[in-house]
């Protein structure tokens, strides 16, 4: 009987590399489907977690970064030029009802990103970054009056490399103990779906204006597509 | 001309107390409507933010606490008997499309709770707390096989007093600068709604069992009612 060939170190590395690539693709697809992130920082009187809009872009071949902005970023950055953060995006997909509460759960897609956020200072780079955040949900940058230099000056934009990132996903049926499988209890899943509704014009619109195409196309769609 | 009576210190305290009561009611109604929280803690290598199920209960007249549990809580508590945390719940209600990107926003309801989480150790108290978390979305505890002593032993349950809590809500139309109000751009809101779907029985159900009433009643409802 011949032994099966042991994995070579090249194969092992390739498998590791493939797993890493697959994981980063999973991370990016969940970040693409999310709408807000919860961003945590450490302060002198404890941790603080705030909800924030975000964007994602490629910065070099295969390398990505997450962008966040706003007054919240201002408050976070008071400490200095860079900031250790944790940025988490979670999409809840369903309530998992098991045969016993210990195995109840939720179906979800989540990503945790850890890293150092640094400020983008150069005005043109800032503008480009703001556009990425603005257009994360729908490409509406071009449908509006472009920001002025003053607008851009007032906004702090931070970038976090997408390197230390992991995805965690739960999907499917409850998983119960064998001892409970012949019991009388129902088990299953109640799916949760988030949907964009039809655009509602502002009540103070002074001019008759058509709903821009990217806004119109958002209406009726799943907010967190797989 | 007589001066209007200056607010007495009692009046000021009453107004302050009313505002505080109103704020705590807002906090509680948002926590009631949320499904998951993002919980942040400080670790030796930076902040970490994880999504968690939670529950809310009254512990004394007007006093409330938030409960969280699970393996995640285990990891968080490795450091010791108590833990400084920040727990944030956010419900996104819409995309706010302004006449310029600087005023784009989201409509949302959010609560930030800061405090010290302490473990609930006594088995009966633990069980009661687990029921509150389990039944936060729907009262399904009674529809299943009750947890065993072993189940309860394996779970760490933490309580956080609902004291240092604030709500932040944005609702309604975009708010633009007067200078943009006569421009040609559309403005408005795209509402976001999350809905529970119809319950789906587990594919490995061995016994014909009816969908429990609380699960059936969840189906088709708004996940984050106001």
């Amino acid at each position: 009987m011949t032994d099966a060939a042991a994995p070579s170190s090249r194969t092992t590395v390739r498998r590791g590399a493939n797993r890493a690539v697959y994981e980063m693709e999973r991370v990016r697809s969940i970040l693409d489907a999310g709408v807000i992130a919860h961003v945590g920082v450490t302060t002198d009187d404890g941790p603080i977690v705030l909800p924030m809009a975000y964007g994602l872009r490629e910065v070099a071949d295969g390398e990505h970064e997450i962008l966040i902005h706003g007054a919240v970023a201002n408050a976070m950055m008071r400490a200095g030029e860079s900031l250790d953060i944790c940025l988490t995006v979670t999409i809840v997909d369903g309530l998992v009802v098991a045969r016993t509460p210990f195995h109840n759960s939720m179906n979800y897609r989540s990503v945790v990103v850890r890293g150092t956020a640094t400020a983008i200072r150069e005005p043109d780079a800032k503008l480009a970054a703001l556009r990425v955040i603005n257009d994360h949900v729908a490409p509406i940058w071009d449908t509006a009056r472009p920001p002025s230099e003053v607008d851009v000056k007032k906004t702090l934009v931070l970038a976090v490399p997408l390197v230390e990132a992991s995805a965690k996903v739960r999907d499917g049926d409850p998983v119960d103990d064998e001892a409970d499988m012949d019991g009388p209890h129902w088990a299953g899943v109640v799916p949760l779906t988030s949907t964009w509704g039809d655009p509602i014009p502002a009540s103070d619109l002074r001019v008759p204006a058509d709903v821009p195409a990217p806004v119109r196309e958002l209406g009726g769609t799943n907010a967190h597509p797989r």
Side-chain angles (χ1 to χ4, degrees), chain A:
Chain A
M1 180 166 73
T2 47
D3 292 326
S8 71
S9 60
R10 276 199 67 197
T11 312
T12 308
V13 165
R14 243 200 327 273
R15 283 200 202 113
N18 285 343
R19 267 198 301 269
V21 165
Y22 168 73
E23 177 72 354
M24 201 47 86
E25 285 171 0
R26 265 207 331 173
V27 161
R28 287 207 317 269
S29 88
I30 294 168
L31 291 174
D32 281 341
V35 169
I36 55 154
H38 280 85
V39 181
V41 297
T42 296
T43 75
D44 286 340
D45 57 18
I48 184 95
V49 177
L50 296 169
M52 303 185 69
Y54 68 94
L56 179 68
R57 71 175 169 190
E58 190 167 19
V59 290
D61 190 35
E63 302 291 315
H64 290 74
E65 68 183 1
I66 294 186
L67 302 161
I68 53 180
H69 79 307
V72 167
N74 284 339
M76 288 177 162
M77 283 295 278
R78 236 173 257 146
E81 275 304 309
S82 73
L83 191 60
D84 284 341
I85 74 162
C86 180
L87 182 146
T88 299
V89 172
T90 306
I91 299 161
V92 179
D93 292 315
L95 181 69
V96 180
V97 181
R99 294 158 183 83
T100 188
F102 187 69
H103 290 298
N104 286 343
S105 187
M106 291 197 201
N107 282 337
Y108 61 90
R109 290 164 272 167
S110 79
V111 162
V112 175
V113 181
R114 301 183 84 174
T116 304
T118 53
I120 297 176
R121 302 250 179 241
E122 199 278 309
D124 286 343
K126 233 179 164 185
L127 197 69
L130 284 169
R131 183 182 190 137
V132 172
I133 301 167
N134 186 80
D135 284 3
H136 177 74
V137 171
I140 55 175
W141 182 271
D142 284 330
T143 67
R145 189 267 290 168
S148 63
E149 274 188 48
V150 168
D151 290 341
V152 175
K153 251 197 158 77
K154 283 196 266 193
T155 312
L156 183 65
V157 185
L158 305 181
V160 186
L162 190 62
V163 173
E164 217 183 320
S166 59
K168 197 170 170 200
V169 172
R170 193 201 185 284
D171 203 4
D173 284 337
V175 175
D176 275 293
D177 303 323
E178 173 57 36
D180 285 318
M181 293 301 287
D182 294 304
H185 304 289
W186 186 89
V189 172
V190 186
L192 181 62
T193 311
S194 299
T195 314
W196 295 106
D198 291 325
I200 303 168
S203 56
D204 60 359
L205 258 188
R206 291 184 199 171
V207 294
D210 291 332
V211 180
V215 176
R216 201 180 53 238
E217 283 154 21
L218 192 63
T221 64
N222 186 326
H224 308 299
R226 292 188 185 262

